[in-house]
Amino acid sequence: MENCPICQAKNENILLQTDKLRVIAVDNEINAPAFCRVIWQEHVAEMTDLSEKDRELLMNTVYKVESAMRSVFKPVKINLASLGNVVPHLHWHVIARFERDANFPAPIWAPAQREAKLDLPENWSQQIKQILQPD
């Protein structure tokens, strides 16, 4: 789609890419410094726009990203969200949450409650990328 920022994305930190989907590390240093997005390549808006096989592929990828993030970050919680109200292109947010992040326990989109005090691995996106690579 011509006007879709997800379809037209540039300079993404891509951790995994196939013909069906891609996984990116999201640059959101303030509210969510440990944030990945799983994006369906084709411009569709809803999970039910996909075949059952494609839905299974997408969700299994979300689960793999969650597992990789849990391994790398050791967070208190992982948030999974598929909203698409602003950008109706099917994608899932996978967000590691920490007691000392700027918003915890509120959503990352809420006003910050404090300055984040996190000690994340410098090369976390590379670690996750390595975990996600097919055997």
Side-chain angles (χ1 to χ4, degrees):
M1 292 282 294
E2 221 172 273
N3 297 327
C4 175
I6 291 178
C7 287
Q8 304 302 319
K10 293 180 174 54
N11 301 320
E12 293 177 315
N13 183 358
I14 297 174
L15 308 180
L16 175 71
Q17 183 159 314
T18 71
D19 60 331
K20 298 272 188 174
L21 55 81
R22 69 187 184 273
V23 177
I24 65 169
V26 177
D27 184 15
N28 190 337
E29 288 285 323
I30 297 170
N31 290 357
F35 185 168
C36 291
R37 193 174 290 136
V38 181
I39 301 166
W40 194 251
Q41 298 282 43
E42 181 184 1
H43 186 89
V44 298
E46 308 298 345
M47 290 292 292
T48 52
D49 291 337
L50 303 180
S51 69
E52 186 174 333
K53 183 178 176 182
D54 285 344
R55 287 192 303 264
E56 186 176 316
L57 171 66
L58 177 58
M59 291 313 300
N60 282 339
T61 303
V62 169
Y63 304 144
K64 285 178 186 174
V65 172
E66 176 185 329
S67 180
M69 291 177 72
R70 289 182 71 193
S71 175
V72 170
F73 295 121
K74 311 279 189 277
V76 171
K77 183 74 176 89
I78 294 281
N79 291 169
L80 301 176
S82 179
L83 306 171
N85 297 329
V86 176
V87 180
H89 182 129
L90 184 57
H91 62 284
W92 281 84
H93 303 276
V94 186
I95 307 160
R97 300 301 308 276
F98 307 90
E99 288 179 351
R100 295 174 56 150
D101 73 31
N103 302 76
F104 193 84
I108 64 160
W109 296 283
Q113 298 179 17
R114 69 191 71 78
E115 182 179 330
K117 292 186 168 88
L118 303 177
D119 185 22
L120 303 177
E122 284 183 33
N123 61 346
W124 69 261
S125 65
Q126 289 303 314
Q127 290 180 45
I128 291 172
K129 183 176 187 174
Q130 188 172 23
I131 293 169
L132 295 178
Q133 293 310 307
D135 297 331

